[in-house]
Amino acid sequence: MKQAKIQADDIKHAAQGKWSDLIFPSFGIEVQWKKKTPCPACGGRDRFWYDDKNGNGDYFCQQCGPGDGLSLIEKTCTRFTFPQVVSEVASILGLSDSSTITDEDRARWAKEREIRKKEQLERERKRQEQIARKAEGIFRNAYLGEESLYLKNKKVEKDPKIKITHDGNLLIPAVDLLDGKIWNLQTIEPDGTKYFIKGDTNETGEWETGGGRMGGLGFMIGEVQPDLYDDHNICVAEGYATGMSIHMATGYPVALSFVANNLPKVGNVLKQKYPNAQLVYCADDDSAKDDTGRKYAQMALDITGGIIVLPQFKQIQESIA
């Protein structure tokens, strides 16, 4: 009796929950769930979004459009026709024994994947350098002013290492705390709106946003004691107003991480540079609903040691004395 032909719908039913861990890796395809990544098919820095929304390996690419797992394999492994893709996936799932994938295919796909990864890293490096040059230029050439409504409303002082522009914006460099290089720049408008370098056009004339380096970057309010052999406190906070309030209340230097998920990285850098410092993580409670500040402060604490306090400014001095 002739065996019934495997249908695409049969594949999708059998493949539920197996796309990212079993099926895609067999074709040299890497995906990350609900995170912008380069598209395995067409490339690009962060055009691709994999969410497996319907359980069919579903994805969306800003360049080559949406599709399911079968279409992604067809686009990426161009030597296969769609019926061949169906047959290969069926074989991987144990629905047939007709696979024609060879070890040479897998080796070639692995090599192609490594090439794509290197190209992506090089594009990312160039992008970060571009943003760094732009940040340094904006900060160096800023048309200065004297008053900041944001600082006035927050009742905090201006650190001498930041700038106020003629229209009242604050410019805060995001620097490598090990060597002092500016890699990005935070702007805080008078109404409290915050953003980093927004981007520029790329080689093909497309407008790109973001792309600058942020991981591990910070800004130091105040000065750290130069004697590395004495114990001393360094506070770590997210935003400028919180950090300066802590500095004003305690006199301790405060390293800004800018955002919560950067706390562990900034803490790790500080521990490298100041191994004898006690790091005091001042968890920001702005996102108390999700407890984000405390969560990342605890992650940082697990890496570097130290203590966690909440920014209740009247109590900070005695809490960390």
Side-chain angles (χ1 to χ4, degrees):
M1 182 176 178
K2 186 176 180 180
Q3 184 178 4
K5 185 178 180 181
I6 298 293
Q7 301 294 323
D9 287 343
D10 300 330
I11 299 293
K12 292 177 181 179
H13 178 74
Q16 294 275 329
K18 300 175 182 177
W19 288 101
S20 60
D21 295 331
L22 175 63
I23 300 170
F24 288 149
S26 298
F27 294 91
I29 296 172
E30 293 182 355
V31 296
Q32 296 185 50
W33 189 65
K34 289 191 174 181
K35 182 177 180 180
K36 285 187 176 182
T37 62
C39 177
C42 69
R45 191 177 64 81
D46 59 357
R47 298 169 176 169
F48 182 81
W49 177 264
Y50 173 73
D51 59 10
D52 198 20
K53 184 177 181 180
N54 300 309
N56 296 323
D58 308 278
Y59 69 92
F60 178 81
C61 176
Q62 294 175 339
Q63 179 73 12
C64 58
D68 59 21
L70 295 176
S71 73
L72 181 61
I73 296 169
E74 184 183 15
K75 288 179 182 178
T76 305
C77 305
T78 55
R79 85 172 179 88
F80 288 126
T81 64
F82 185 76
Q84 288 174 320
V85 170
V86 171
S87 177
E88 295 296 338
V89 175
S91 178
I92 292 168
L93 294 170
L95 301 180
S96 74
D97 57 0
S98 59
S99 176
T100 60
I101 296 177
T102 65
D103 290 339
E104 287 76 14
D105 288 329
R106 294 188 177 93
R108 185 178 70 255
W109 293 335
K111 185 176 181 179
E112 290 172 352
R113 183 171 67 248
E114 288 303 313
I115 291 172
R116 289 195 299 269
K117 186 180 295 185
K118 288 180 181 178
E119 290 175 345
Q120 164 60 17
L121 289 174
E122 180 62 17
R123 286 195 297 268
E124 185 175 351
R125 186 192 65 78
K126 289 181 179 180
R127 180 71 177 152
Q128 290 178 349
E129 290 286 354
Q130 179 194 39
I131 293 293
R133 290 192 297 270
K134 187 171 183 179
E136 187 176 5
I138 292 173
F139 188 72
R140 183 178 61 249
N141 301 317
Y143 178 24
L144 301 182
E146 296 182 357
E147 294 187 2
S148 164
L149 182 61
Y150 178 78
L151 294 181
K152 182 179 179 180
N153 290 340
K154 293 292 185 178
K155 297 182 173 58
V156 295
E157 299 172 356
K158 173 187 173 294
D159 185 276
K161 299 186 294 297
I162 71 173
K163 290 184 177 181
I164 301 174
T165 66
H166 70 286
D167 48 4
N169 292 341
L170 292 185
L171 299 181
I172 306 175
V175 306
D176 186 322
L177 294 172
L178 293 177
D179 62 20
K181 178 176 177 176
I182 298 176
W183 283 92
N184 215 319
L185 187 69
Q186 185 182 58
T187 298
I188 304 180
E189 296 182 345
D191 64 358
T193 300
K194 301 177 183 179
Y195 52 85
F196 292 93
I197 298 295
K198 290 187 174 181
D200 211 335
T201 54
N202 61 19
E203 296 87 349
T204 62
E206 296 173 302
W207 181 263
E208 293 185 348
T209 58
R213 178 185 165 194
M214 277 306 302
L217 301 184
F219 177 82
M220 186 67 71
I221 297 174
E223 301 294 335
V224 179
Q225 294 296 325
D227 188 350
L228 301 182
Y229 299 96
D230 290 339
D231 293 337
H232 48 280
N233 293 312
I234 301 176
C235 299
V236 189
E238 293 178 39
Y240 180 82
T242 300
M244 178 53 79
S245 296
I246 294 166
H247 178 66
M248 291 167 61
T250 67
Y252 293 131
V254 181
L256 304 184
S257 70
F258 296 105
V259 292
N261 62 12
N262 202 30
L263 281 169
K265 295 177 181 178
V266 168
N268 192 40
V269 171
L270 291 171
K271 200 61 179 177
Q272 293 178 51
K273 189 170 184 178
Y274 307 107
N276 293 312
Q278 174 173 246
L279 300 182
V280 182
Y281 294 99
C282 304
D284 198 326
D285 220 19
D286 285 351
S287 51
K289 181 176 68 173
D290 298 323
D291 219 15
T292 304
R294 294 194 204 192
K295 179 181 76 172
Y296 283 105
Q298 184 61 55
M299 290 173 59
L301 191 72
D302 293 341
I303 296 171
T304 66
I307 60 175
I308 296 175
V309 299
L310 291 177
Q312 298 172 345
F313 303 117
K314 292 182 180 179
Q315 301 176 13
I316 285 178
Q317 181 67 49
E318 64 179 7
S319 296
I320 63 179

Coordinates of all heavy atoms in Angstrom, one line a residue, residues 11-94:
I11 N 3.2 18.5 9.5 CA 4.5 18.9 10.1 C 4.3 19.9 11.2 O 4.9 19.8 12.3 CB 5.4 19.5 9.0 CG1 5.7 18.5 7.9 CG2 6.7 20.1 9.6 CD1 6.6 17.4 8.3
K12 N 3.5 20.9 11.0 CA 3.2 22.0 11.9 C 2.6 21.4 13.2 O 3.0 21.9 14.3 CB 2.3 23.0 11.3 CG 3.0 23.8 10.2 CD 2.0 24.8 9.6 CE 2.6 25.6 8.4 NZ 1.7 26.6 7.9
H13 N 1.8 20.4 13.1 CA 1.2 19.8 14.3 C 2.2 19.1 15.1 O 2.3 19.2 16.3 CB 0.1 18.9 13.9 CG -0.6 18.2 15.1 ND1 -1.4 18.8 15.9 CD2 -0.4 16.9 15.5 CE1 -1.8 18.0 16.9 NE2 -1.2 16.8 16.7
A14 N 3.1 18.3 14.4 CA 4.1 17.5 15.1 C 5.3 18.4 15.6 O 6.0 18.0 16.6 CB 4.7 16.5 14.2
A15 N 5.4 19.6 15.0 CA 6.6 20.4 15.4 C 6.3 21.4 16.5 O 7.2 22.1 16.9 CB 7.0 21.2 14.2
Q16 N 5.1 21.4 17.1 CA 4.7 22.3 18.1 C 5.8 22.3 19.3 O 6.0 21.2 19.8 CB 3.4 22.0 18.7 CG 2.2 22.3 17.7 CD 1.7 23.7 17.7 OE1 1.8 24.4 18.7 NE2 1.3 24.2 16.6
G17 N 6.4 23.4 19.6 CA 7.3 23.5 20.7 C 8.7 23.0 20.4 O 9.6 22.9 21.3
K18 N 9.0 22.6 19.1 CA 10.3 22.0 18.8 C 11.1 22.8 17.8 O 12.2 22.4 17.4 CB 10.0 20.6 18.2 CG 9.3 19.6 19.2 CD 9.0 18.3 18.5 CE 8.3 17.4 19.5 NZ 7.9 16.1 18.8
W19 N 10.5 24.0 17.4 CA 11.2 24.7 16.3 C 12.6 25.2 16.7 O 13.6 25.0 16.1 CB 10.3 25.9 15.9 CG 9.1 25.4 15.1 CD1 7.8 25.3 15.5 CD2 9.1 25.0 13.7 NE1 7.0 24.9 14.5 CE2 7.8 24.7 13.4 CE3 10.1 24.9 12.7 CZ2 7.4 24.3 12.1 CZ3 9.7 24.5 11.4 CH2 8.4 24.2 11.2
S20 N 12.6 26.0 17.9 CA 13.9 26.6 18.2 C 15.0 25.7 18.7 O 16.2 25.9 18.5 CB 13.6 27.7 19.3 OG 13.1 27.2 20.4
D21 N 14.6 24.6 19.4 CA 15.5 23.7 20.0 C 15.9 22.5 19.2 O 17.1 22.0 19.3 CB 15.0 23.2 21.4 CG 14.8 24.3 22.4 OD1 15.6 25.3 22.3 OD2 13.9 24.2 23.2
L22 N 15.1 22.1 18.3 CA 15.3 20.9 17.5 C 15.4 21.2 16.0 O 16.4 20.8 15.4 CB 14.2 19.9 17.8 CG 14.3 18.6 16.9 CD1 15.6 17.8 17.2 CD2 13.1 17.7 17.2
I23 N 14.4 21.8 15.5 CA 14.3 21.9 14.0 C 15.2 22.9 13.4 O 16.1 22.6 12.5 CB 12.8 22.2 13.6 CG1 11.9 21.1 14.0 CG2 12.8 22.3 12.0 CD1 10.5 21.4 13.9
F24 N 15.2 24.2 13.9 CA 16.0 25.2 13.3 C 17.5 24.9 13.4 O 18.3 25.1 12.5 CB 15.7 26.6 14.0 CG 14.4 27.2 13.6 CD1 13.7 28.0 14.4 CD2 13.9 26.9 12.3 CE1 12.5 28.5 14.0 CE2 12.7 27.5 11.9 CZ 12.0 28.3 12.8
P25 N 18.0 24.4 14.6 CA 19.4 24.1 14.7 C 19.9 23.0 13.7 O 21.0 23.0 13.3 CB 19.6 23.6 16.1 CG 18.5 24.2 16.9 CD 17.3 24.3 15.9
S26 N 19.0 22.2 13.3 CA 19.3 21.1 12.3 C 19.7 21.8 10.9 O 20.4 21.2 10.1 CB 18.2 20.1 12.1 OG 17.9 19.4 13.3
F27 N 19.2 23.0 10.7 CA 19.5 23.7 9.5 C 20.5 24.8 9.7 O 20.7 25.7 8.8 CB 18.2 24.3 8.9 CG 17.2 23.2 8.4 CD1 16.3 22.7 9.3 CD2 17.3 22.7 7.1 CE1 15.4 21.7 8.9 CE2 16.4 21.7 6.7 CZ 15.4 21.2 7.6
G28 N 21.1 24.9 10.9 CA 22.1 26.0 11.1 C 21.4 27.3 11.4 O 22.1 28.3 11.2
I29 N 20.2 27.3 11.8 CA 19.4 28.6 12.1 C 19.3 28.8 13.6 O 18.9 27.9 14.3 CB 18.0 28.5 11.4 CG1 18.1 28.3 9.9 CG2 17.2 29.7 11.8 CD1 16.8 28.1 9.2
E30 N 19.7 30.0 14.0 CA 19.6 30.4 15.4 C 18.5 31.4 15.6 O 18.5 32.4 14.8 CB 20.9 30.9 15.9 CG 22.0 29.9 16.0 CD 23.3 30.4 16.5 OE1 23.4 31.7 16.8 OE2 24.3 29.7 16.7
V31 N 17.7 31.3 16.5 CA 16.6 32.2 16.8 C 16.6 32.5 18.3 O 17.0 31.6 19.1 CB 15.2 31.8 16.4 CG1 15.2 31.7 14.8 CG2 14.8 30.5 17.0
Q32 N 16.2 33.6 18.8 CA 16.0 33.9 20.2 C 14.6 34.4 20.4 O 14.1 35.3 19.7 CB 17.0 35.0 20.7 CG 18.4 34.5 20.6 CD 19.4 35.6 21.2 OE1 19.2 36.1 22.3 NE2 20.4 35.9 20.4
W33 N 13.9 33.9 21.3 CA 12.5 34.2 21.5 C 12.2 35.6 22.0 O 12.8 36.0 23.0 CB 11.9 33.2 22.5 CG 10.4 33.2 22.6 CD1 9.5 32.9 21.7 CD2 9.6 33.6 23.8 NE1 8.2 33.1 22.1 CE2 8.3 33.5 23.4 CE3 10.0 34.1 25.0 CZ2 7.2 33.8 24.3 CZ3 8.9 34.4 25.9 CH2 7.6 34.3 25.5
K34 N 11.4 36.3 21.2 CA 11.0 37.7 21.5 C 12.2 38.6 21.8 O 12.2 39.4 22.8 CB 10.0 37.7 22.7 CG 8.6 37.1 22.3 CD 7.6 37.3 23.4 CE 6.2 36.9 22.9 NZ 5.2 37.2 23.9
K35 N 13.1 38.5 20.9 CA 14.3 39.4 21.0 C 14.7 39.8 19.6 O 14.8 38.9 18.8 CB 15.4 38.8 21.8 CG 16.6 39.7 21.9 CD 17.7 39.1 22.8 CE 18.9 40.0 22.9 NZ 20.0 39.4 23.7
K36 N 14.9 41.1 19.3 CA 15.3 41.5 18.0 C 16.7 41.0 17.7 O 17.7 41.2 18.5 CB 15.3 43.0 17.9 CG 13.8 43.5 17.8 CD 13.9 45.0 17.5 CE 12.4 45.5 17.2 NZ 12.4 47.0 16.9
T37 N 16.9 40.3 16.6 CA 18.2 39.7 16.2 C 18.4 39.9 14.7 O 17.4 40.2 14.0 CB 18.3 38.2 16.6 OG1 17.3 37.5 15.9 CG2 18.1 38.0 18.1
P38 N 19.6 39.6 14.2 CA 19.7 39.6 12.8 C 18.9 38.5 12.1 O 18.7 37.5 12.7 CB 21.2 39.3 12.6 CG 21.8 39.7 13.9 CD 20.8 39.4 14.9
C39 N 18.3 38.8 11.0 CA 17.5 37.8 10.3 C 18.4 36.7 9.7 O 19.4 37.0 9.0 CB 16.7 38.5 9.1 SG 15.7 37.3 8.2
P40 N 18.1 35.4 10.0 CA 18.9 34.3 9.5 C 18.9 34.3 7.9 O 19.8 33.8 7.3 CB 18.2 33.1 10.0 CG 17.5 33.6 11.2 CD 17.0 34.9 10.9
A41 N 17.8 34.8 7.3 CA 17.7 34.8 5.9 C 18.3 35.9 5.2 O 19.1 35.8 4.2 CB 16.2 34.7 5.5
C42 N 18.0 37.2 5.6 CA 18.5 38.3 4.8 C 19.5 39.2 5.6 O 20.0 40.1 5.0 CB 17.3 39.2 4.5 SG 16.5 40.1 5.9
G43 N 19.9 38.9 6.8 CA 20.8 39.6 7.6 C 20.2 40.9 8.2 O 19.0 41.0 8.3
G44 N 21.0 41.9 8.5 CA 20.5 43.1 9.1 C 20.8 43.0 10.6 O 20.8 41.9 11.2
R45 N 20.8 44.2 11.2 CA 21.3 44.2 12.6 C 20.2 43.7 13.6 O 20.5 43.0 14.5 CB 21.7 45.6 13.0 CG 22.5 45.7 14.3 CD 22.9 47.1 14.6 NE 21.7 48.0 14.8 CZ 21.1 48.1 15.9 NH1 21.4 47.4 16.9 NH2 20.0 48.9 16.0
D46 N 19.0 44.3 13.5 CA 18.0 43.9 14.5 C 16.6 43.9 13.8 O 15.6 44.4 14.4 CB 18.0 44.9 15.7 CG 17.8 46.3 15.2 OD1 17.7 46.6 14.0 OD2 17.7 47.2 16.1
R47 N 16.5 43.3 12.6 CA 15.2 43.4 11.9 C 14.3 42.2 12.2 O 13.1 42.2 11.9 CB 15.5 43.3 10.4 CG 16.3 44.5 9.9 CD 16.8 44.2 8.4 NE 17.5 45.4 7.9 CZ 18.2 45.3 6.7 NH1 18.2 44.2 6.1 NH2 18.8 46.4 6.3
F48 N 14.9 41.2 12.8 CA 14.2 39.9 12.9 C 13.6 39.7 14.3 O 14.2 40.0 15.3 CB 15.1 38.8 12.6 CG 14.5 37.4 12.6 CD1 13.8 36.9 11.5 CD2 14.7 36.6 13.7 CE1 13.3 35.6 11.6 CE2 14.2 35.3 13.8 CZ 13.5 34.8 12.7
W49 N 12.3 39.2 14.4 CA 11.6 39.0 15.7 C 11.0 37.6 15.6 O 10.1 37.4 14.8 CB 10.6 40.1 15.9 CG 9.8 40.0 17.1 CD1 8.5 39.4 17.2 CD2 10.1 40.4 18.4 NE1 8.0 39.5 18.5 CE2 9.0 40.1 19.2 CE3 11.2 41.1 18.9 CZ2 8.9 40.5 20.6 CZ3 11.1 41.5 20.3 CH2 10.0 41.2 21.1
Y50 N 11.4 36.7 16.5 CA 10.8 35.4 16.6 C 10.0 35.2 17.8 O 10.5 35.4 18.9 CB 12.0 34.3 16.6 CG 11.5 32.9 16.9 CD1 10.8 32.2 15.8 CD2 11.7 32.3 18.1 CE1 10.4 30.9 16.1 CE2 11.2 31.0 18.3 CZ 10.6 30.3 17.3 OH 10.1 29.0 17.5
D51 N 8.7 34.9 17.6 CA 7.8 34.8 18.8 C 7.0 33.5 18.8 O 6.3 33.2 19.8 CB 6.8 36.0 18.9 CG 5.9 36.1 17.7 OD1 5.9 35.2 16.8 OD2 5.3 37.2 17.6
D52 N 7.1 32.7 17.7 CA 6.4 31.4 17.6 C 4.9 31.6 18.1 O 4.4 30.8 18.8 CB 7.1 30.4 18.5 CG 6.7 29.0 18.2 OD1 6.2 28.7 17.0 OD2 6.8 28.1 19.0
K53 N 4.3 32.7 17.6 CA 3.0 33.1 18.1 C 1.9 32.1 17.9 O 1.1 31.9 18.9 CB 2.6 34.4 17.3 CG 1.3 35.0 17.8 CD 1.0 36.3 17.0 CE -0.3 36.9 17.5 NZ -0.6 38.2 16.7
N54 N 1.9 31.4 16.8 CA 0.9 30.4 16.6 C 1.4 28.9 16.8 O 0.8 28.0 16.4 CB 0.3 30.5 15.2 CG -0.3 31.9 15.0 OD1 -1.2 32.3 15.8 ND2 0.0 32.6 14.0
G55 N 2.7 28.8 17.3 CA 3.3 27.5 17.5 C 3.8 26.9 16.2 O 4.2 25.7 16.2
N56 N 3.9 27.7 15.2 CA 4.4 27.2 13.9 C 5.8 27.7 13.5 O 6.1 27.8 12.3 CB 3.4 27.5 12.8 CG 2.1 26.9 13.0 OD1 2.0 25.8 13.4 ND2 1.0 27.6 12.6
G57 N 6.6 28.1 14.5 CA 7.9 28.7 14.2 C 7.7 30.1 13.7 O 8.6 30.6 12.9
D58 N 6.7 30.8 14.1 CA 6.4 32.1 13.5 C 7.4 33.2 13.8 O 7.9 33.3 14.9 CB 5.0 32.6 14.0 CG 3.9 31.5 13.8 OD1 3.4 31.3 12.7 OD2 3.7 30.7 14.8
Y59 N 7.6 34.1 12.8 CA 8.6 35.2 12.9 C 8.1 36.4 12.1 O 7.2 36.3 11.3 CB 9.9 34.7 12.4 CG 10.0 34.5 10.9 CD1 10.3 35.5 10.0 CD2 9.6 33.3 10.4 CE1 10.3 35.3 8.7 CE2 9.6 33.1 9.0 CZ 10.0 34.1 8.1 OH 9.9 33.9 6.8
F60 N 8.8 37.5 12.3 CA 8.6 38.7 11.4 C 9.9 39.3 11.2 O 10.7 39.5 12.1 CB 7.6 39.7 12.1 CG 7.5 40.9 11.3 CD1 6.5 41.0 10.2 CD2 8.2 42.1 11.5 CE1 6.4 42.1 9.5 CE2 8.0 43.2 10.8 CZ 7.1 43.2 9.7
C61 N 10.2 39.7 9.9 CA 11.4 40.4 9.5 C 11.0 41.7 8.8 O 10.1 41.6 7.9 CB 12.2 39.5 8.6 SG 13.7 40.4 8.0
Q62 N 11.5 42.8 9.2 CA 11.2 44.1 8.6 C 11.6 44.2 7.2 O 11.1 45.0 6.4 CB 11.8 45.2 9.4 CG 11.2 45.4 10.8 CD 12.0 46.4 11.6 OE1 13.1 46.8 11.3 NE2 11.3 46.9 12.7
Q63 N 12.6 43.3 6.8 CA 13.1 43.3 5.5 C 12.4 42.4 4.5 O 12.0 42.7 3.5 CB 14.6 43.0 5.5 CG 15.3 43.0 4.1 CD 15.5 44.4 3.5 OE1 15.3 45.4 4.2 NE2 15.8 44.4 2.2
C64 N 12.3 41.1 5.0 CA 11.8 40.1 4.0 C 10.4 39.6 4.4 O 9.9 38.6 3.9 CB 12.8 38.9 3.9 SG 13.2 38.0 5.4
G65 N 9.8 40.2 5.5 CA 8.4 39.9 5.8 C 8.2 38.8 6.8 O 9.2 38.2 7.3
P66 N 7.0 38.5 7.1 CA 6.7 37.5 8.1 C 6.6 36.1 7.5 O 6.6 35.9 6.3 CB 5.3 37.9 8.6 CG 4.6 38.5 7.3 CD 5.8 39.2 6.6
G67 N 6.5 35.1 8.4 CA 6.3 33.7 7.9 C 6.3 32.7 9.0 O 6.4 33.1 10.2
D68 N 6.3 31.4 8.7 CA 6.4 30.4 9.7 C 7.7 29.7 9.6 O 8.6 30.1 8.8 CB 5.2 29.4 9.6 CG 5.1 28.7 8.3 OD1 6.2 28.7 7.6 OD2 4.0 28.3 7.9
G69 N 7.9 28.6 10.4 CA 9.2 27.9 10.4 C 9.6 27.3 9.1 O 10.7 27.4 8.7
L70 N 8.6 26.8 8.4 CA 8.9 26.2 7.1 C 9.4 27.2 6.1 O 10.4 27.0 5.3 CB 7.7 25.5 6.5 CG 7.2 24.3 7.4 CD1 5.9 23.7 6.8 CD2 8.3 23.2 7.4
S71 N 8.8 28.4 6.1 CA 9.2 29.4 5.2 C 10.6 30.0 5.5 O 11.4 30.3 4.6 CB 8.2 30.6 5.1 OG 8.2 31.4 6.3
L72 N 10.9 30.1 6.8 CA 12.2 30.6 7.2 C 13.3 29.6 6.8 O 14.3 30.0 6.3 CB 12.2 30.7 8.7 CG 13.6 31.3 9.3 CD1 13.9 32.6 8.7 CD2 13.5 31.3 10.8
I73 N 13.0 28.3 6.9 CA 14.0 27.3 6.4 C 14.2 27.4 4.9 O 15.3 27.4 4.4 CB 13.6 25.9 6.8 CG1 13.6 25.8 8.3 CG2 14.5 24.9 6.2 CD1 12.9 24.5 8.8
E74 N 13.1 27.6 4.2 CA 13.1 27.7 2.7 C 13.9 29.0 2.3 O 14.7 28.9 1.4 CB 11.7 27.8 2.1 CG 11.7 27.8 0.6 CD 10.3 28.0 0.0 OE1 9.4 28.3 0.8 OE2 10.1 27.7 -1.2
K75 N 13.7 30.1 3.0 CA 14.5 31.3 2.7 C 15.9 31.2 3.0 O 16.8 31.7 2.3 CB 13.9 32.5 3.5 CG 12.5 33.0 3.0 CD 12.1 34.1 3.9 CE 10.7 34.6 3.5 NZ 10.2 35.7 4.4
T76 N 16.3 30.5 4.1 CA 17.6 30.5 4.6 C 18.4 29.4 3.8 O 19.6 29.6 3.4 CB 17.7 30.2 6.1 OG1 16.9 31.1 6.8 CG2 19.1 30.2 6.6
C77 N 17.9 28.2 3.6 CA 18.5 27.1 2.9 C 18.0 27.1 1.5 O 17.1 26.3 1.2 CB 18.3 25.8 3.7 SG 18.8 25.9 5.4
T78 N 18.6 27.9 0.7 CA 18.0 28.1 -0.7 C 18.1 26.9 -1.6 O 17.5 26.9 -2.6 CB 18.7 29.3 -1.3 OG1 20.1 29.1 -1.4 CG2 18.3 30.6 -0.6
R79 N 18.9 25.9 -1.2 CA 19.0 24.7 -2.1 C 17.8 23.8 -2.0 O 17.6 23.0 -2.9 CB 20.3 23.9 -1.8 CG 20.1 22.9 -0.7 CD 21.4 22.0 -0.7 NE 21.4 21.0 0.3 CZ 20.9 19.8 0.2 NH1 20.3 19.4 -0.9 NH2 21.0 18.9 1.2
F80 N 16.9 24.1 -1.0 CA 15.7 23.3 -0.9 C 14.5 24.0 -1.4 O 14.3 25.2 -1.3 CB 15.4 23.0 0.6 CG 16.4 22.1 1.3 CD1 17.1 22.4 2.4 CD2 16.6 20.8 0.8 CE1 17.9 21.5 3.1 CE2 17.4 19.9 1.4 CZ 18.1 20.3 2.5
T81 N 13.7 23.2 -2.1 CA 12.3 23.7 -2.5 C 11.4 23.5 -1.3 O 11.8 22.8 -0.3 CB 11.8 22.9 -3.7 OG1 11.6 21.5 -3.3 CG2 12.7 23.0 -4.9
F82 N 10.2 24.1 -1.4 CA 9.3 23.9 -0.2 C 9.0 22.5 0.0 O 9.0 22.1 1.2 CB 8.1 24.8 -0.5 CG 7.1 24.8 0.7 CD1 7.4 25.6 1.8 CD2 6.0 24.0 0.7 CE1 6.6 25.6 2.9 CE2 5.1 24.0 1.8 CZ 5.5 24.8 2.9
P83 N 8.6 21.7 -1.0 CA 8.4 20.3 -0.7 C 9.5 19.5 -0.1 O 9.3 18.7 0.8 CB 8.1 19.7 -2.1 CG 7.6 20.8 -2.9 CD 8.4 22.0 -2.4
Q84 N 10.7 19.9 -0.4 CA 11.9 19.3 0.2 C 12.1 19.7 1.6 O 12.4 18.9 2.5 CB 13.2 19.7 -0.6 CG 13.3 19.0 -2.0 CD 14.5 19.5 -2.7 OE1 14.8 20.7 -2.7 NE2 15.2 18.6 -3.4
V85 N 11.7 21.0 1.9 CA 11.8 21.5 3.3 C 10.8 20.7 4.1 O 11.1 20.2 5.3 CB 11.4 23.0 3.4 CG1 11.2 23.4 4.9 CG2 12.5 23.8 2.8
V86 N 9.6 20.5 3.6 CA 8.6 19.7 4.3 C 9.1 18.3 4.6 O 9.0 17.7 5.7 CB 7.3 19.6 3.5 CG1 6.3 18.6 4.1 CG2 6.6 21.0 3.4
S87 N 9.7 17.7 3.6 CA 10.3 16.3 3.7 C 11.4 16.2 4.8 O 11.4 15.3 5.6 CB 10.8 15.8 2.4 OG 11.3 14.5 2.5
E88 N 12.3 17.2 4.7 CA 13.4 17.2 5.7 C 12.9 17.4 7.1 O 13.4 16.7 8.0 CB 14.4 18.3 5.3 CG 15.1 18.2 4.0 CD 16.0 17.0 4.0 OE1 16.4 16.5 5.0 OE2 16.3 16.5 2.9
V89 N 12.0 18.3 7.3 CA 11.5 18.6 8.7 C 10.7 17.3 9.2 O 10.8 16.9 10.4 CB 10.6 19.8 8.7 CG1 10.0 20.0 10.1 CG2 11.4 21.1 8.4
A90 N 10.0 16.7 8.3 CA 9.3 15.5 8.6 C 10.3 14.4 9.1 O 10.0 13.7 10.1 CB 8.5 14.9 7.4
S91 N 11.4 14.3 8.4 CA 12.4 13.3 8.8 C 13.0 13.6 10.2 O 13.2 12.7 11.0 CB 13.5 13.3 7.8 OG 14.5 12.4 8.1
I92 N 13.3 14.9 10.4 CA 13.8 15.3 11.7 C 12.8 15.0 12.9 O 13.2 14.6 14.0 CB 14.1 16.9 11.7 CG1 15.3 17.2 10.8 CG2 14.4 17.4 13.1 CD1 15.4 18.6 10.5
L93 N 11.5 15.1 12.6 CA 10.5 14.8 13.6 C 10.2 13.3 13.7 O 9.3 12.9 14.5 CB 9.2 15.6 13.2 CG 9.4 17.1 13.4 CD1 8.1 17.8 12.8 CD2 9.5 17.5 14.8
G94 N 10.9 12.5 12.8 CA 10.6 11.1 12.9 C 9.4 10.6 12.1 O 8.9 9.5 12.3

